[in-house]
Amino acid sequence: MSSSSMWISSLLTAIVLNEPLSCVAFSLGALKASRHYYCYNHMTVGPNPPGRSLSSSTLLDLVPVASETADRVASIDEETWASFYNDLVSLTQVNGHSTLQQVTADNPNLKQWLHDQREHFKWWKEGKATTMTRERQRRLDELDRSWRDFHNDDWFHHYLELEGFYEKHGSCQILSSKENSALGKWVRQQRGPFSAFQAGKSGYHLSPLHAAMLDRLNFEMDAKETLWIEHYDELVEYVKTHGDCLVPPGYAANPKLALWVKDQRSEYKKRQGNYGESTMTEERVQLLTNVGFDWDPHHSILMKRYLELEGYAELTMERVRLLTAGGFLDSLDPSQTAWTKRYKQLKAYSKFHGDCLVPPRYSASPELGRWVMAQRRNHKILHDHNNGDNRNATGSYNQKQYKFSTTLTEHREQLLEDIGFAWDEDKNMWMERYRELMAYANTHGDCLVPQQANDRNTASLGRWVAVQRSEYKRIKDNKACKSYDLTQERVRLLEFIGFEWDLDLSLNGTVHAVVKVNGSSSPGTVPPKWKEPPTESPAGGTAPSHLDQTPMITKTQVRALFDLWNDALATLDSTIVAQRYAADPMLLPTVSDTPRTDLAGLVDYFDTFLKLKPQGVITEGKITVGPGFAQDAGIYEFTMGATGAKVRARYSFVYVYEEGEWKIAHHHSSTMPERAQTQISKQECKGLFHLWNDALAKLDPDTVAKRYSINPVLLPTVSDVPRTDYASIKDYFVNFLKLKPRGKILKSYVTIGNNWCKDVGVYEFTMGAKVKARYSFVYVKEFDEWKISHHHSSAMPESKTSNKLSEHEVRGLFKLWNGALATLDSDKVASRYAKNSVLLPTISDVPRTDYASKKDYFDNFLKSKPQGEILESYVQSGEGWCKDVGIYEFTMGATGNKVKGRYSFVYVLEDGEWKISHHHSSVMPEGILAPSMTPEQRKVRALFDLWNDALATLDSTTVAQRYAADPMLLPTVSDTPRTDFAGIKSYFDIFLKLKPQGVITSGKITVGPDWAQDAGIYEFTMGATGAKVRARYSFIYVVENGEWKIAHHHSSTMPESAKVQITKEECQGLFHRWNDALATLDSDTVAQRYAQSAILLPTVSDVPRTDYAGIKNYFDLFLKLQPRGKILSSFVTIGNNWCKDVGIYEFTMGATGDKVKARYSFVYVKEGDDWKIAHHHSSAMPESKKMTTKLSEPEVKGLFKLWNDALATLDSDQVARRYAKQSVLLPTLSDIPRIDYQSKKDYFDTFLLNQPQGEILESHVEAGDGWCKDVGLYEFTMGATGQKVKGRYSFVYVLEDDDDEWKIAHHHSSVMPECILL
């Protein structure tokens, strides 16, 4: 079915089912091409607004409109789509790692097109008819997968805001400047394009769909915009009649049009000069440019007047000269501002550079380069008339050249000459090509440059060489040169580098080229390694100063180049700093992964860096001077004026001579790796437990406590108190070691970070009995030793059978699948997959998500009779799931072919059987696409392979021999620069233990005379651990004894991935984000707060939750309690890329009103652009389980002493506080029961006047769980009188929850009754 038929079918379906039109993915191109805007005035997009129903007859009216145009548009749809896509690809290549939304921000057409692709993708996902295909989706995904996000589109966001405003206010008139200011600005921006669209004008960036959506809200047209369009239409008619846009002032036929044209130029100047608010939009500029609008009409008027003069009288060169000298040109063009502006710019250039030799492609100001070339052309035209070159057959001025002569007067010539302007640019161009030939000869050993070459630059140079030979032959034949002045000096320079004038003799080998050195001639070839052409002519004269040869540079001068760069930093001007770099630079900065390879990238980086006000000093460095380049590498230190911080880093500068000045061609800066990152393998991380366990075996609490870091947190199994320092940790182990514990790990989950690692799981201790517990260790490197920064241990809250497979069992699951393949029964193979599984097969674009589609795929695949074998496998296993990732190879029984592929299997336990939940298979990528490089670049890249092959030998001597005799190695994981064979070998003695093998993922190659550079990003796979490590690299190769060797090698970690800073307050704030997620009572929202590889050890479940489904399942139950948490105590530690928050929190359960305290550990990591929970361990307060323990008799009697001590203070407040909140006091000398704090205090205010002190004479104790009583006889000695008084007493004590303290719940005191009777 054609796209038009599909659309009509969808439209009719919508009519029949009375669905909103938004469900119809209509062809925007068809509607726009037909120019029928009727549909946008009568249809709605989305739900119909109040009072605007959509009748079936109205919709049916649209069918012939779309049917007529849709088929025609469909035929060109693919071509149009491809054109936009190619433009998008070009922009992404220019902008590097930017998102598609960023790269299209300044291109309204592409931005609109990308928005339309999102809409079509949305319809496609909903199963509606659309122009989006799987292939188009795939191609856009390759550029940036975030293109799909419809809600990222600014236009759509603003439209939703406007829709809400319309529903509230009934119109789109936003009058307030404070409320909804951003929305008001956006609405004003839409009125112009909307008005133009309604009027049928092209050039405005508003799609038909957007126009229809705005019309749905009764969007008002802009009266001013409508008036502008009317004048624009009048201008179009003027152009048709007069052939230009030069509407004269006071134009009688339409005076308003003349004023309008003048206003457009004025608004354009405002826009270009960034002064004042301009009404000239990008759309208006485009519309006016399309009809040939003259933004600066003076030049056009000038030409028009001259042409009129030429028609009136014969305009000879002499007359032109008289008109020019007399200022006639100035009278016709009074503005003169453009020329004066460029002249001032050139004057500033001359003052800074010492000359006026602006390169034609001057990156800082391309317009100035073009203007300088124009002045030379004008000068040549004005002065060539002496030879009659400018006259035609009648002697009048040649019109083609004449148009260039109107802007350069004799006065202007004098101004230019006063600042040293050189009119002959050929000298500069000739020397540029001569230097290119020098480089070619030094590389190839001759000057035989081919004219037919794949490299455009080489071919161009070959043609220039041919011209030199042709000019030389004409001179020998006494003929005039055609294009160049081949002077005797230039002949001498060419012969110096072995230039062959007679190509035939040179190729036959019968004649040697003449090489002149220091004025003498001798037959020979190119000098072995020349650096400079001779400075004297054959006649003994001095060579002209304009030769601008590359000068030699001393080591002192090289170091002074750093000072120039540092002085540029001191200006705090990013443009000045960027100008210290060459035209084709490479900057690999300290704190950014992105290589900066152009002026804009440099300025962007230093805009941020200079905010720190840095000033640097070199502390250690090595300088190398070579032909045409110099290198300075070592260690420098920056003092950041904004913060006072000092930062040391390693640096490499490569300088080249460019445009008469030494510039930075390459700058690589990286942090000191030994301080920045400490690597540890998973096995080593697990081994740290054994160090701690060995310390336990010594039964010395001091030894154990020393295994913890300076700022540790220990949450022990049987104590509520967090231990946060050495003394408290030692105190805990004094008691714990009495049990003589010995531990072993049963389950372990290790995560490796930068400078930290964590080990989480289940361990078991033998202490007479066997005790299982959950543990969390976080280790950090402290003074060259790994210490425990965090240790959380908790009892197993429940008992559950493990569903975790061993590594051997996981690999066995592949054999079950492979066995199913051997049956050649697609049904049996498909049955190996889980119910909700996904299969991404090797040779099909279509994801297979159900049983039938999987069976269909294997119906075809099994025809090849495949049998698989795993070549490389990486297994990970958790509770109820496991994964197997690696490389397998299939032998196709039907053909005998062998095919390798990469695989990922994720298995889950389903109905008691392990099934494939996810299966992704793909071809080996390196065989698909190889980067396009020139032969020379491939040779340079092959040098990396030689070095990598040397690594594979695991022989440090072999690797060290790949480096030059005078090398510089700045390695990834050592601060020490290695500058000789022994130092390099020593480094690789250690590094090769990891069995590294590298591959370059991105790089840039530069080839120079006698040297080459390769810089970019490479990735190593460590065979010893399986770890993969990405890093930035710079290699500089030189030829040494006929072999290319590594003269410089700088390797550094990826700085953006190395460190992500977070403050203590921000770390604590992450708990609130989790708590807010709990408040939603949505387990999905809570689970999304956890990282992809998170581990949750919950309070009331033994099962570690290690994936999204497990975490979500736990919170499905927990959220039924409606929990809300708050932190009671917190201990935060900040690391590189991670932070942890450990302490005690309390939950209030909204469903029951209960309050529950628990200990917690959160470890957060940066995942994407968000901080997520990588580890969460929560456990009950262990001491609270023991509060029912009965007190001993001495302990009960000891409670009386506490009360008696309070009496001794003579402070009624302290005595009253010994009683519980709900206590009762029946005192000896008062009939009134005292049941509250105040009444007890009142009683003791009087009683304490006697200064009583008590002593128990007889005691009867009874203790229960949480309570005890003491009954008997006591005697008081009244210190105020010396009197002694006996009495009977009853104390009942309880443990009061609020402060976990034993208090008096009941106190009954009475005098001895026999005394009363007596």
Side-chain angles (χ1 to χ4, degrees):
M1 180 183 291
S2 68
S3 59
S4 59
S5 300
M6 290 173 67
W7 178 75
I8 294 171
S9 174
S10 300
L11 181 61
L12 293 175
T13 301
I15 296 170
V16 173
L17 298 179
N18 195 27
E19 293 180 346
L21 197 60
S22 62
C23 68
V24 181
F26 52 90
S27 173
L28 299 177
L31 293 175
K32 189 172 182 179
S34 66
R35 307 288 290 187
H36 288 283
Y37 299 109
Y38 169 85
C39 55
Y40 294 118
N41 294 322
H42 297 276
M43 75 178 184
T44 63
V45 176
N48 296 334
R52 300 189 69 189
S53 60
L54 192 62
S55 66
S56 298
S57 59
T58 301
L59 283 170
L60 288 171
D61 289 341
L62 298 176
V63 174
V65 173
S67 179
E68 176 185 353
T69 60
D71 287 334
R72 182 175 72 253
V73 173
S75 65
I76 64 171
D77 177 69
E78 184 60 32
E79 181 180 350
T80 303
W81 196 95
S83 176
F84 276 105
Y85 177 80
N86 291 334
D87 291 344
L88 193 61
V89 170
S90 299
L91 268 181
T92 57
Q93 291 173 345
V94 171
N95 289 274
H97 300 291
S98 302
T99 64
L100 295 186
Q101 188 173 7
Q102 292 170 330
V103 302
T104 59
D106 297 326
N107 190 319
N109 286 326
L110 269 180
K111 185 175 182 180
Q112 177 59 53
W113 179 79
L114 187 62
H115 172 77
D116 292 340
Q117 302 313 301
R118 292 194 192 99
E119 294 168 332
H120 282 284
F121 177 76
K122 178 183 176 185
W123 296 331
W124 183 66
K125 294 291 286 184
E126 293 171 356
K128 300 171 184 176
T130 173
T131 60
M132 179 57 65
T133 64
R134 187 178 299 280
E135 176 62 16
R136 290 182 177 182
Q137 172 213 330
R138 182 189 66 78
R139 294 173 69 182
L140 288 167
D141 281 352
E142 289 176 349
L143 298 179
D144 177 18
R145 191 176 178 84
S146 69
W147 75 271
R148 301 180 179 188
D149 189 357
F150 188 83
H151 296 286
N152 276 343
D153 190 275
D154 292 338
W155 197 97
F156 184 79
H157 275 299
H158 286 305
Y159 178 80
L160 292 179
E161 290 185 56
L162 181 62
E163 190 175 45
F165 184 94
Y166 176 81
E167 291 173 357
K168 181 177 181 180
H169 300 281
S171 77
C172 297
Q173 290 287 353
I174 301 178
L175 302 178
S176 174
S177 60
K178 295 182 179 179
E179 183 182 6
N180 299 316
S181 59
L183 179 60
K185 181 179 179 180
W186 180 81
V187 166
R188 291 191 295 273
Q189 292 172 345
Q190 304 311 303
R191 296 203 188 279
F194 181 75
S195 302
F197 188 94
Q198 296 294 75
K201 298 297 177 187
S202 61
Y204 278 76
H205 309 295
L206 188 70
S207 71
L209 177 62
H210 286 172
M213 292 171 73
L214 290 172
D215 189 51
R216 172 182 176 272
L217 304 181
N218 293 322
F219 198 78
E220 300 87 354
M221 294 176 61
D222 187 352
K224 292 182 179 179
E225 188 65 29
T226 303
L227 181 61
W228 192 93
I229 293 172
E230 290 177 359
H231 286 308
Y232 175 77
D233 289 338
E234 294 172 355
L235 179 63
V236 171
E237 293 302 318
Y238 181 92
V239 172
K240 290 179 181 178
T241 303
H242 299 85
D244 58 48
C245 298
L246 301 173
V247 183
Y251 179 47
N254 191 344
K256 291 184 178 180
L257 177 61
L259 292 174
W260 181 82
V261 167
K262 181 181 178 182
D263 289 341
Q264 303 318 298
R265 294 192 179 102
S266 176
E267 293 299 324
Y268 181 78
K269 288 182 179 179
K270 286 183 183 179
R271 173 187 171 90
Q272 294 299 98
N274 290 322
Y275 58 91
E277 185 175 353
S278 172
T279 61
M280 183 57 62
T281 64
E282 181 65 30
E283 289 85 357
R284 290 183 175 183
V285 171
Q286 187 62 45
L287 287 172
L288 290 168
T289 301
N290 289 343
V291 295
F293 194 81
D294 295 283
W295 299 107
D296 186 2
H298 298 293
H299 179 72
S300 299
I301 295 173
L302 192 62
M303 287 303 304
K304 197 170 183 179
R305 297 291 181 265
Y306 264 117
L307 293 175
E308 291 172 1
L309 279 173
E310 189 177 26
Y312 177 78
E314 195 173 76
L315 198 60
T316 65
M317 179 52 65
E318 181 60 24
R319 292 176 180 177
V320 170
R321 189 187 66 77
L322 291 173
L323 290 170
T324 300
F328 187 74
L329 296 180
D330 293 346
S331 68
L332 290 175
D333 185 11
S335 65
Q336 301 297 316
T337 55
W339 195 95
T340 304
K341 177 182 177 181
R342 294 291 177 224
Y343 173 75
K344 290 180 179 179
Q345 191 175 355
L346 177 62
K347 194 173 181 180
Y349 179 95
S350 174
K351 184 177 181 181
F352 185 81
H353 293 275
D355 57 52
C356 297
L357 302 176
V358 184
R361 297 176 182 176
Y362 182 41
S363 58
S365 177
E367 296 85 359
L368 179 61
R370 291 193 291 269
W371 182 82
V372 167
M373 293 175 64
Q375 304 315 301
R376 292 196 177 101
R377 285 197 302 268
N378 294 345
H379 176 82
K380 182 175 176 62
I381 291 171
L382 285 177
H383 292 271
D384 278 351
H385 74 278
N386 292 331
N387 297 325
D389 294 338
N390 272 11
R391 298 169 184 258
N392 56 25
T394 62
S396 63
Y397 186 71
N398 185 295
Q399 180 177 330
K400 183 177 180 180
Q401 293 181 335
Y402 171 74
K403 66 180 180 180
F404 294 110
S405 67
T406 59
T407 60
L408 188 63
T409 66
E410 291 180 1
H411 175 64
R412 290 179 176 177
E413 279 187 335
Q414 188 60 49
L415 288 175
L416 290 169
E417 289 172 359
D418 288 344
I419 61 173
F421 192 84
W423 297 109
D424 186 0
E425 67 170 341
D426 288 342
K427 295 179 181 179
N428 301 313
M429 293 177 62
W430 194 94
M431 285 304 300
E432 286 180 11
R433 301 318 299 263
Y434 176 72
R435 290 195 190 92
E436 292 178 23
L437 183 59
M438 287 171 65
Y440 182 92
N442 203 29
T443 301
H444 297 85
D446 57 50
C447 297
L448 304 176
V449 187
Q451 296 185 51
Q452 302 297 326
N454 293 331
D455 181 22
R456 292 174 57 187
N457 291 335
T458 302
S460 174
L461 180 61
R463 291 190 291 272
W464 180 83
V465 167
V467 169
Q468 305 313 302
R469 292 196 181 98
S470 175
E471 295 297 293
Y472 183 79
K473 188 175 185 303
R474 293 178 67 85
I475 292 172
K476 290 294 185 182
D477 295 340
N478 294 319
K479 296 180 180 179
C481 292
K482 289 184 176 180
S483 304
Y484 296 87
D485 288 330
L486 189 60
T487 64
Q488 184 179 4
E489 187 66 35
R490 292 180 178 179
V491 169
R492 183 184 67 82
L493 289 171
L494 289 169
E495 289 179 345
F496 171 78
I497 60 173
F499 194 85
E500 302 87 352
W501 297 110
D502 192 333
L503 189 58
D504 293 335
L505 291 177
S506 175
L507 292 175
N508 292 331
T510 57
V511 176
H512 290 285
V514 175
V515 181
K516 294 180 181 252
V517 182
N518 296 328
S520 62
S521 300
S522 63
T525 57
V526 183
K529 286 287 176 282
W530 43 261
K531 298 176 182 177
E532 299 286 342
T535 57
E536 292 185 357
S537 65
T542 302
S545 60
H546 69 266
L547 293 180
D548 191 27
Q549 302 158 1
T550 301
M552 291 299 293
I553 187 170
T554 65
K555 290 187 176 183
T556 302
Q557 291 171 327
V558 172
R559 182 54 51 80
L561 296 176
F562 171 84
D563 297 329
L564 290 177
W565 178 76
N566 200 34
D567 291 343
L569 293 182
T571 67
L572 303 181
D573 185 344
S574 58
T575 301
I576 293 176
V577 180
Q579 288 174 348
R580 292 302 313 150
Y581 290 78
D584 186 26
M586 167 64 78
L587 166 63
L588 300 177
T590 316
V591 290
S592 171
D593 284 354
T594 307
R596 312 300 170 116
T597 59
D598 57 17
L599 180 68
L602 294 169
V603 170
D604 176 69
Y605 173 73
F606 284 106
D607 280 341
T608 303
F609 183 62
L610 291 177
K611 292 177 181 178
L612 298 172
K613 301 180 180 178
Q615 274 294 277
V617 60
I618 290 177
T619 60
E620 180 182 352
K622 177 181 177 181
I623 296 173
T624 304
V625 177
F629 80 98
Q631 170 193 302
D632 191 358
I635 297 172
Y636 50 18
E637 183 181 79
F638 286 91
T639 300
M640 306 301 179
T643 63
K646 290 184 180 290
V647 180
R648 294 179 77 234
R650 303 181 303 171
Y651 72 89
S652 301
F653 288 100
V654 177
Y655 302 95
V656 296
Y657 196 71
E658 191 175 86
E659 297 178 5
E661 188 176 6
W662 286 93
K663 294 291 185 75
I664 304 168
H666 170 77
H667 181 192
H668 188 158
S669 183
S670 63
T671 56
M672 305 299 287
E674 292 179 356
R675 293 171 175 80
Q677 181 174 0
T678 305
Q679 293 293 338
I680 188 172
S681 68
K682 285 189 175 182
Q683 289 74 16
E684 291 170 332
C685 184
K686 290 180 180 179
L688 298 175
F689 169 82
H690 300 298
L691 294 177
W692 177 77
N693 200 33
D694 292 343
L696 294 181
K698 295 181 180 180
L699 302 180
D700 180 6
D702 185 78
T703 302
V704 180
K706 287 178 179 177
R707 292 302 313 151
Y708 292 78
S709 67
I710 296 176
N711 296 309
V713 176
L714 166 62
L715 301 179
T717 316
V718 290
S719 172
D720 284 353
V721 182
R723 313 296 169 120
T724 59
D725 58 16
Y726 173 86
S728 61
I729 292 174
K730 182 183 176 185
D731 176 71
Y732 174 78
F733 282 106
V734 167
N735 292 316
F736 184 67
L737 291 177
K738 292 176 182 179
L739 301 172
K740 298 181 180 179
R742 287 297 284 164
K744 68 175 182 179
I745 289 178
L746 304 180
K747 297 178 184 176
S748 172
Y749 304 86
V750 173
T751 303
I752 304 299
N754 290 338
N755 305 301
W756 67 276
C757 66
K758 71 174 181 179
D759 187 2
V760 180
V762 177
Y763 51 17
E764 183 183 74
F765 286 91
T766 301
M767 301 179 287
K770 290 184 181 288
V771 179
K772 286 185 181 179
R774 303 178 303 172
Y775 73 87
S776 305
F777 286 102
V778 176
Y779 303 95
V780 296
K781 194 70 174 285
E782 194 172 81
F783 302 116
D784 296 326
E785 187 177 6
W786 287 95
K787 293 294 184 75
I788 303 169
S789 173
H790 166 75
H791 181 193
H792 188 158
S793 183
S794 63
M796 305 295 288
E798 64 181 14
S799 178
K800 188 174 178 68
T801 303
S802 173
N803 287 319
K804 182 178 178 182
L805 295 183
S806 67
E807 187 169 319
H808 177 73
E809 290 171 326
V810 173
R811 292 197 174 99
L813 297 176
F814 172 82
K815 295 179 181 178
L816 294 177
W817 178 76
N818 200 35
L821 292 182
T823 67
L824 303 181
D825 183 350
S826 61
D827 191 79
K828 289 186 177 180
V829 180
S831 66
R832 293 300 313 153
Y833 291 79
K835 294 175 183 176
N836 295 316
S837 60
V838 177
L839 165 63
L840 302 177
T842 316
I843 51 176
S844 172
D845 288 351
V846 183
R848 312 298 169 122
T849 58
D850 57 18
Y851 179 89
S853 62
K854 296 183 185 75
K855 184 178 184 302
D856 175 69
Y857 174 78
F858 285 106
D859 283 340
N860 293 315
F861 184 65
L862 292 176
K863 292 177 182 178
S864 300
K865 300 181 181 179
Q867 271 295 278
E869 177 187 5
I870 289 179
L871 304 180
E872 186 177 348
S873 171
Y874 302 90
V875 170
Q876 185 179 358
S877 182
E879 287 291 334
W881 70 276
C882 58
K883 69 176 180 179
D884 187 1
V885 180
I887 298 172
Y888 52 17
E889 184 182 73
F890 285 92
T891 301
M892 305 300 180
T895 62
N897 293 341
K898 290 184 179 289
V899 180
K900 283 186 182 179
R902 302 180 301 171
Y903 72 88
S904 302
F905 286 102
V906 177
Y907 303 93
V908 295
L909 192 61
E910 189 175 85
D911 300 327
E913 187 179 4
W914 287 94
K915 294 291 184 76
I916 302 169
S917 172
H918 169 75
H919 181 193
H920 187 160
S921 183
S922 63
V923 295
M924 304 300 284
E926 292 180 2
I928 301 174
L929 182 64
S932 175
M933 291 189 289
T934 65
E936 290 180 339
Q937 290 174 329
R938 280 195 288 270
K939 290 178 183 178
V940 173
R941 182 54 52 78
L943 297 176
F944 171 83
D945 296 331
L946 291 177
W947 178 77
N948 201 32
D949 292 343
L951 293 182
T953 67
L954 302 182
D955 182 357
S956 58
T957 299
T958 302
V959 180
Q961 288 172 346
R962 293 301 314 150
Y963 291 77
D966 187 25
M968 168 61 78
L969 166 61
L970 300 177
T972 316
V973 291
S974 172
D975 286 353
T976 308
R978 313 298 169 117
T979 59
D980 57 17
F981 180 91
I984 292 173
K985 183 180 184 300
S986 171
Y987 174 77
F988 284 104
D989 283 340
I990 298 173
F991 183 64
L992 292 176
K993 292 179 180 179
L994 298 173
K995 300 180 181 179
Q997 274 293 279
V999 60
I1000 289 176
T1001 59
S1002 65
K1004 179 180 178 182
I1005 295 173
T1006 304
V1007 180
D1010 292 326
W1011 65 278
Q1013 171 189 299
D1014 191 356
I1017 297 171
Y1018 52 16
E1019 183 182 78
F1020 285 91
T1021 300
M1022 305 302 178
T1025 63
K1028 291 185 179 291
V1029 180
R1030 294 177 74 235
R1032 304 179 303 171
Y1033 72 90
S1034 301
F1035 286 101
I1036 296 179
Y1037 303 95
V1038 296
V1039 177
E1040 190 171 277
N1041 298 324
E1043 186 179 5
W1044 285 94
K1045 293 294 184 75
I1046 303 169
H1048 168 77
H1049 181 192
H1050 188 159
S1051 182
S1052 63
T1053 56
M1054 304 298 286
E1056 290 180 353
S1057 60
K1059 187 174 183 180
V1060 179
Q1061 292 293 343
I1062 188 173
T1063 66
K1064 180 178 179 180
E1065 291 72 21
E1066 289 170 336
C1067 184
Q1068 290 175 324
L1070 297 175
F1071 169 83
H1072 299 299
R1073 296 183 62 185
W1074 177 77
N1075 200 32
D1076 292 343
L1078 293 182
T1080 67
L1081 302 180
D1082 181 359
S1083 59
D1084 189 78
T1085 301
V1086 180
Q1088 288 174 356
R1089 291 302 312 145
Y1090 290 78
Q1092 292 180 358
S1093 300
I1095 296 178
L1096 165 64
L1097 301 179
T1099 316
V1100 292
S1101 171
D1102 283 354
V1103 183
R1105 312 297 169 116
T1106 59
D1107 58 14
Y1108 178 88
I1111 294 171
K1112 183 179 185 298
N1113 174 259
Y1114 174 79
F1115 284 106
D1116 284 340
L1117 298 173
F1118 185 64
L1119 292 176
K1120 292 179 181 179
L1121 299 172
Q1122 302 175 18
R1124 287 295 283 165
K1126 68 176 180 179
I1127 289 177
L1128 303 181
S1129 62
S1130 169
F1131 304 89
V1132 172
T1133 304
I1134 305 298
N1136 290 341
N1137 305 300
W1138 66 277
C1139 66
K1140 69 174 180 181
D1141 187 2
V1142 180
I1144 297 173
Y1145 50 17
E1146 184 183 74
F1147 287 91
T1148 301
M1149 306 301 179
T1152 63
D1154 292 341
K1155 291 183 180 290
V1156 180
K1157 286 185 183 178
R1159 302 179 303 170
Y1160 72 88
S1161 303
F1162 287 102
V1163 177
Y1164 302 95
V1165 296
K1166 194 70 176 286
E1167 189 170 270
D1169 293 324
D1170 196 11
W1171 285 91
K1172 294 294 185 74
I1173 303 168
H1175 166 74
H1176 182 191
H1177 189 159
S1178 183
S1179 62
M1181 305 296 286
E1183 292 181 357
S1184 62
K1185 299 176 183 177
K1186 303 190 301 179
M1187 289 308 176
T1188 57
T1189 304
K1190 298 179 182 179
L1191 292 183
S1192 65
E1193 184 171 329
E1195 288 172 331
V1196 174
K1197 291 180 178 178
L1199 297 176
F1200 172 83
K1201 294 179 180 178
L1202 294 177
W1203 178 76
N1204 199 36
D1205 290 342
L1207 293 181
T1209 65
L1210 303 180
D1211 184 351
S1212 60
D1213 184 80
Q1214 291 196 34
V1215 180
R1217 292 185 184 278
R1218 292 304 310 155
Y1219 291 79
K1221 293 179 181 177
Q1222 306 295 328
S1223 61
V1224 177
L1225 166 64
L1226 302 177
T1228 315
L1229 304 174
S1230 172
D1231 290 347
I1232 303 172
R1234 312 294 170 125
I1235 58 175
D1236 60 17
Y1237 170 84
Q1238 189 60 46
S1239 62
K1240 295 182 182 74
K1241 185 178 185 298
D1242 290 343
Y1243 174 76
F1244 285 105
D1245 282 340
T1246 301
F1247 184 66
L1248 291 176
L1249 296 175
N1250 296 311
Q1251 302 176 18
Q1253 271 294 281
E1255 178 186 5
I1256 290 179
L1257 303 178
E1258 183 179 348
S1259 171
H1260 304 276
V1261 171
E1262 183 181 356
D1265 288 336
W1267 68 276
C1268 61
K1269 70 177 180 180
D1270 187 3
V1271 180
L1273 302 178
Y1274 53 12
E1275 183 183 73
F1276 287 91
T1277 300
M1278 305 300 178
T1281 62
Q1283 184 182 0
K1284 291 184 180 288
V1285 179
K1286 286 186 180 178
R1288 301 181 300 173
Y1289 72 87
S1290 301
F1291 286 103
V1292 177
Y1293 302 95
V1294 296
L1295 187 64
E1296 196 162 70
D1297 292 335
D1298 285 359
D1299 48 10
D1300 294 334
E1301 189 176 4
W1302 289 92
K1303 296 290 185 73
I1304 304 168
H1306 171 73
H1307 182 194
H1308 189 160
S1309 182
S1310 62
V1311 297
M1312 303 299 288
E1314 293 180 1
C1315 293
I1316 299 174
L1317 294 175
L1318 291 174

